[in-house]
Amino acid sequence: MVRLGIDLGGTNIAVGVVNEQNEIIGTASVKTNAPRPAEEIADSMREACLLALGEVRMTLDDVASVGVGTPGAVNEEGVVEFSANLGFNDTPLRDLVEERLNKPTYIENDANCAALGEQVAGCGGGVPNFVAVTLGTGVGGGIILGGKLLTGINGAAGEIGHMSVEMDGIPCPCGRSGCFEQYASATALVRQTREAMEQDRDRSSKLWELAEGDLDNVNGLVLFNAAHAGDGRALMVLDKFTTYLAVGVADLINIFQPDVLCIGGGISRQGDFLIEPLARKVEELRYTKHSKKQTKICAATLGNDAGIIGAALLSDVK
């Protein structure tokens, strides 16, 4: 038997057929076209599931269970209490999907699914205590303790992007100031790069060359390519960025003491170029610096597959 993992996003619905070795053997993707009625989105989820199964010449009869990773807070009844990206409010997503697929269905926050996928089938190697930090538009997180997802009383645990790392810092849309994601997300890295370029009045930095003289062309790759080339201004930006990232990571380690903490998102593709300076800074900040056992900090390995595999694995932890 196989399991279906569904990564429900604001733009696309991605489905994977996951075998007993936690490998994706078939995939399909359709547009979410949100916002629209949840019933219509559930219809599209069924369509994507059938397309993925068709790719490997299987049917719903071959499926043991279905798991869905969705943005937003999900309660224990499988209701998405709120998701701004999808326009969901108290949406009974589990029931909607079960009605269409007639299979046991499990719903969880998408960042938690990605953490579960990495913990079981990726860089976590099955360790019982695991924290995932995902750097993207914001900073997402998933926390696994004793092999179980930490979801809290309302399904909203793990919103690590909204820890404050800078008192009276940059205002955040959440209503607080100085949130982690305002300093250590991919979005923050782009902003910090542009600010550094604006201070370079004679445009001597390689950042300007790689951005073709236009701030609108700045992205994370521009920053990292300039840093790899030894550009001083780019290295300065990267040093400041990893310092803020280390503050948040050290806080998470001090609180949870996981076996492994992984960094995900597109930035994590930089591998040791990001992880090694981050680990050195965390070493200076962690409370347990004299302990014989230390949290391993590493880059995520599954990429976009993590959420699909983690969703498929929900039947094991729910």
Side-chain angles (χ1 to χ4, degrees), residues 144-309:
I144 298 168
L145 299 177
K148 298 293 183 180
L149 281 166
L150 178 66
T151 57
I153 62 170
N154 52 13
E159 289 292 341
I160 64 174
H162 299 289
M163 304 185 297
S164 182
V165 297
E166 186 71 72
M167 198 65 152
D168 300 322
I170 299 169
C172 181
C174 78
R176 302 186 73 190
S177 294
C179 284
F180 188 26
E181 68 177 38
Q182 295 301 316
Y183 294 87
S185 62
T187 304
L189 180 62
V190 170
R191 187 194 69 245
Q192 292 160 10
T193 302
R194 287 174 176 162
E195 289 171 351
M197 291 170 67
E198 288 172 338
Q199 294 167 7
D200 179 24
R201 298 185 184 278
D202 61 2
R203 299 195 172 194
S204 61
S205 170
K206 192 171 184 63
L207 290 167
W208 281 108
E209 175 189 335
L210 293 174
E212 299 178 343
D214 188 345
L215 288 174
D216 289 339
N217 291 334
V218 174
N219 55 32
L221 196 57
V222 166
L223 181 280
F224 280 107
N225 284 343
H228 279 292
D231 181 79
R233 195 167 292 269
L235 290 169
M236 178 189 69
V237 172
L238 186 57
D239 181 69
K240 182 178 181 180
F241 176 81
T242 54
T243 296
Y244 276 118
L245 181 57
V247 170
V249 167
D251 284 348
L252 292 168
I253 290 174
N254 288 345
I255 295 168
F256 297 110
Q257 295 299 328
D259 299 280
V260 176
L261 182 146
C262 85
I263 304 295
I267 291 174
S268 69
R269 298 191 190 103
Q270 294 296 319
D272 289 343
F273 192 67
L274 173 71
I275 299 300
E276 288 184 358
L278 171 64
R280 288 196 298 269
K281 292 175 186 290
V282 170
E283 180 61 30
E284 297 172 0
L285 297 171
R286 72 170 98 213
Y287 178 74
T288 56
K289 57 174 62 74
H290 300 298
S291 174
K292 293 181 180 178
K293 293 183 178 180
Q294 298 288 355
T295 297
K296 176 185 176 182
I297 300 172
C298 63
T301 57
L302 295 180
N304 293 333
D305 291 346
I308 292 174
I309 294 173

Side-chain angles (χ1 to χ4, degrees), residues 3-24:
R3 294 186 271 195
L4 293 176
I6 305 175
D7 186 1
L8 174 59
T11 303
N12 295 305
I13 300 167
V15 175
V17 181
V18 179
N19 65 17
E20 294 179 357
Q21 289 73 46
N22 301 322
E23 301 166 333
I24 297 176

